[in-house]
Amino acid sequence: MKTIRPSLTIVILLGVLLCFGVQPTSAAKDNVLRIAFDAADITDLHPHFAHTTQDRGVVHLIFSGLVRYKPGDIGEFVPDLAESWEVSRDGLTWTFHLRKGVMVHPWKNNPGYELTSEDVVYSFTSAADKNKSAWAGEYAGMQFKAIDQYTVQVILEKPLSELLFLPKMADYAGGLIIPKKAVEDLGEGFKSHPVGTGPFVFKKYLPKEKVITVRNEKFYRGTPKLDGVEVFYMPDMSSRKFGLQSKELDVIEGPPSQPWVDEMRALRGVEVDVFGPGEAGVLYFNMAKKPFDDIRVRRAIAYALSRDEVVTTIGKAIAAPVFSQIPNPQPGHLTRDEVLLRGKLEEKDYLYEVDRNKAKKLLADAGFPNGLTTTVFMTERGEYAVPFQNIVAQLREAGIDVKVTVVDHPTYHHNIRADMNTIVEYNCWRPTADVRLTHFHHSDSIVKTGKKPITNFMHLGEKDANGDGKVDSVDYQIEVARDLLDSGAQKAVWKETQFKLLDWAVSYPLFIKKFTFARRNNVQWGYDLKSTLILSPQINELTSIK
């Protein structure tokens, strides 16, 4: 057998480096992937509350769903904790057959145990409880039953189309399964010490620094190729870039910036992933705060803004304009041509193409001939801050002065949910049109005062939106569409609902931005990365470092 020896040059070089105290980089020493997010810290690692990119980047390492979006392609569902499922003829009962031998991660002094239907029922019951989940509204009217150890039934009050039902069971938000014994044992500690069934096991959380996970040796889809994943919180872009160049980091989150993408692609040994479906950026106007209760003020803001200018600021290779709440390519979205044609037919301007003279006249008619000033909180995260800086500059051209107080990302989310902003920029993707319309436009979802307060920052369904002295709402349209089983009819109602929202100018759809991450070229995701709902590349059992 031929013996392969390192060259004398390499041996001498390593010896010199070690003599001078220079150690090989951490990325070269072990098989741990290190990823850094544009954030100061976690918000919550309980999967039924986690909503920020940095939170989801951790929870999706640790938790699984009954079904999952196909890695790298959200257009298809594949089995996960459930090997198969079927629906009754009347559409009211869905039956899921669980894998056998799925092991819950160990925690404290507990070695873990086999996941059964009892855990699944417990998890969905918890997800449906508004005191235990931010996604409770998604599971209203559902009953969950354990038929036997490996069979679970979900019984609906009303049948749902597959288009609306399966996303609720998938590996996203309330669909991520939490194990009963671990949750009950850890209590509030579960939020910072999560226990699931995913490919990686939580090991340690270092506040404002990182979360450390190790591979799940008993993972049901096979032992992960990585020894572990460390998730770092680094709001400073320069620090993330330096970490990637020095090989102390393997993957970093980038800002919504075309120059950054071009800069990273020029670096030796670095690959850039630009992938969808992307987050739709929308401005929401708080009608509970004057003068945003006046439709003329809200329309003035719409006419003051150029979608194309915002998109150019972000980068045309990574962003595109959107013209409705539901973004392309999600079922139910409106194209520019649809919006323009409908406006011509009805002699209404649903498009609000930039016209700052019209914006100034509307402000004057509303009692602000010299313009107006408002103050908002804004996150330090680049994906929000970069487009919002351009938005502020554009509004200033029309006499609208927006004073910005910059806060960290968790504080921003707290403040907007505490109803502290007059204008809210919210960038997100939701799994279905129903989820998005419900969370942002149903009266139950009004922040602070709604029955199930989530992200209705406009107070739509509580305030007069069109100025006729009556409360305006789209609750009926949302609920009608939800009950339809024909996908074509559902999409038609969703579109009609969005024309109302455009007419009332309660919000202004701006852009859809794809996600941007840079990685060392020795990192392989293990799948073709086209789209993902978790806002970052999904690290799973197939991910590897060469």
Side-chain angles (χ1 to χ4, degrees):
M1 180 180 295
K2 183 178 179 180
T3 301
I4 300 176
R5 302 179 185 277
S7 71
L8 180 60
T9 303
I10 294 176
V11 172
I12 292 174
L13 178 58
L14 286 173
V16 170
L17 290 173
L18 292 172
C19 285
F20 281 92
V22 180
Q23 299 291 329
T25 64
S26 58
K29 283 192 301 181
D30 53 33
N31 189 34
V32 174
L33 186 143
R34 293 170 173 83
I35 181 171
F37 286 101
D38 177 12
D41 203 358
I42 62 169
T43 304
D44 196 323
L45 295 184
H46 191 304
H48 298 171
F49 288 98
H51 58 271
T52 62
T53 303
Q54 65 268 27
D55 294 344
R56 290 176 180 165
V58 175
V59 300
H60 282 267
L61 298 170
I62 297 169
F63 295 94
S64 311
L66 287 182
V67 301
R68 64 172 175 158
Y69 291 94
K70 182 180 178 181
D73 184 1
I74 64 167
E76 183 179 348
F77 290 106
V78 294
D80 199 2
L81 292 175
E83 292 182 311
S84 63
W85 57 88
E86 65 263 2
V87 60
S88 61
R89 182 169 295 182
D90 61 8
L92 293 176
T93 303
W94 291 73
T95 304
F96 292 87
H97 306 283
L98 304 182
R99 291 176 185 259
K100 297 178 181 179
V102 174
M103 297 303 296
V104 172
H105 300 162
W107 76 94
K108 288 172 49 173
N109 297 320
N110 193 308
Y113 63 95
E114 185 182 15
L115 184 89
T116 67
S117 56
E118 180 184 14
D119 296 286
V120 175
V121 169
Y122 173 85
S123 183
F124 280 115
T125 302
S126 179
D129 185 340
K130 66 179 181 180
N131 297 314
K132 298 179 180 180
S133 167
W135 304 89
E138 293 305 300
Y139 303 96
M142 295 187 184
Q143 296 180 46
F144 310 97
K145 291 185 177 181
I147 303 305
D148 58 39
Q149 193 172 5
Y150 302 107
T151 307
V152 174
Q153 281 190 344
V154 182
I155 302 168
L156 311 180
E157 286 183 354
K158 298 179 180 179
L160 285 175
S161 67
E162 185 175 277
L163 185 66
L164 293 184
F165 179 75
L166 284 184
K168 301 175 189 292
M169 302 292 110
D171 56 338
Y172 182 83
L176 292 166
I177 302 301
I178 56 174
K180 179 180 179 181
K181 295 177 183 177
V183 177
E184 292 180 341
D185 185 22
L186 293 168
E188 284 296 307
F190 191 81
K191 293 183 177 183
S192 59
H193 188 125
V195 177
T197 55
F200 297 94
V201 179
F202 175 87
K203 182 178 180 182
K204 184 182 291 186
Y205 164 51
L206 302 176
K208 297 184 178 181
E209 183 182 348
K210 64 179 177 180
V211 170
I212 301 171
T213 69
V214 297
R215 75 177 166 200
N216 179 5
E217 300 287 351
K218 299 179 180 179
F219 188 52
Y220 53 89
R221 288 200 300 266
T223 304
K225 294 182 178 181
L226 295 170
D227 291 338
V229 178
E230 294 186 5
V231 180
F232 287 80
Y233 304 107
M234 302 175 68
D236 182 65
M237 182 67 249
S238 297
S239 298
R240 298 200 303 277
K241 177 183 173 183
F242 178 78
L244 187 69
Q245 289 180 292
S246 65
K247 301 183 181 179
E248 293 296 323
L249 295 172
D250 301 294
V251 185
I252 62 172
E253 181 181 5
S257 164
Q258 186 69 48
W260 181 86
V261 171
D262 296 338
E263 178 188 7
M264 291 297 103
R265 282 176 172 165
L267 294 179
R268 184 179 180 183
V270 172
E271 298 284 346
V272 177
D273 294 303
V274 179
F275 54 96
E279 294 183 302
V282 179
L283 293 185
Y284 297 94
F285 307 124
N286 190 342
M287 294 187 291
K289 295 184 183 293
K290 292 185 177 297
F292 298 91
D293 58 335
D294 191 325
I295 191 172
R296 294 169 295 184
V297 171
R298 303 194 303 272
R299 283 177 172 169
I301 293 174
Y303 280 118
L305 293 174
S306 164
R307 292 180 174 96
D308 289 337
E309 191 174 325
V310 176
V311 166
T312 300
T313 299
I314 299 170
K316 291 187 176 181
I318 59 176
V322 293
F323 306 94
S324 63
Q325 286 291 326
I326 311 306
N328 183 28
Q330 197 165 44
H333 75 277
L334 296 173
T335 66
R336 184 184 187 280
D337 287 345
E338 284 179 295
V339 174
L340 185 62
L341 179 60
R342 180 67 171 267
K344 288 181 178 179
L345 291 173
E346 298 182 0
E347 297 184 346
K348 291 185 176 182
D349 190 354
Y350 293 119
L351 202 56
Y352 297 105
E353 289 193 289
V354 60
D355 187 336
R356 290 178 185 137
N357 288 329
K358 184 178 287 188
K360 291 176 181 178
K361 184 179 185 307
L362 284 165
L363 287 177
D365 291 345
F368 299 94
N370 299 316
L372 64 85
T373 299
T374 190
T375 302
V376 303
F377 291 97
M378 176 48 55
T379 172
E380 88 288 351
R381 280 184 64 86
E383 66 179 279
Y384 282 75
V386 169
F388 200 71
Q389 287 168 2
N390 177 263
I391 290 165
V392 169
Q394 290 196 57
L395 292 178
R396 192 176 297 122
E397 294 294 317
I400 302 166
D401 188 12
V402 181
K403 305 291 186 183
V404 179
T405 299
V406 178
V407 295
D408 61 64
H409 201 53
T411 300
Y412 177 69
H413 276 281
H414 170 270
N415 288 357
I416 61 178
R417 285 167 171 77
D419 209 22
M420 297 171 69
N421 269 25
T422 54
I423 303 173
V424 173
E425 179 194 348
Y426 205 98
N427 306 343
C428 72
W429 178 272
R430 292 295 181 259
T432 66
D434 176 66
V435 173
R436 182 153 195 141
L437 291 174
T438 299
H439 284 191
F440 287 89
H441 301 90
H442 197 286
S443 63
D444 286 353
S445 302
I446 296 173
V447 291
K448 290 188 71 174
T449 60
K451 293 179 181 178
K452 303 170 184 176
I454 306 177
T455 48
N456 182 343
F457 305 110
M458 303 156 292
H459 291 257
L460 182 61
E462 183 181 86
K463 300 294 181 180
D464 172 16
N466 62 5
D468 66 356
K470 301 176 183 178
V471 171
D472 293 297
S473 170
V474 290
D475 291 1
Y476 176 75
Q477 289 86 350
I478 292 172
E479 292 164 7
V480 165
R482 186 182 301 146
D483 291 342
L484 294 171
L485 297 182
D486 179 79
S487 60
Q490 278 182 324
K491 287 185 282 189
V493 176
W494 288 332
K495 291 187 177 191
E496 288 301 314
T497 304
Q498 291 173 95
F499 279 117
K500 283 184 176 291
L501 301 175
L502 290 170
D503 188 33
W504 297 338
V506 291
S507 57
Y508 187 68
L510 275 168
F511 61 86
I512 187 164
K513 177 195 70 68
K514 292 186 177 181
F515 310 121
T516 56
F517 279 74
R519 59 182 162 90
R520 302 298 306 173
N521 62 6
N522 62 341
V523 174
Q524 302 295 317
W525 299 125
Y527 55 87
D528 185 13
L529 178 55
K530 296 178 181 177
S531 58
T532 172
L533 283 184
I534 70 169
L535 316 183
S536 65
Q538 191 163 3
I539 302 167
N540 63 22
E541 74 279 4
L542 300 178
T543 304
S544 64
I545 301 175
K546 288 185 180 178

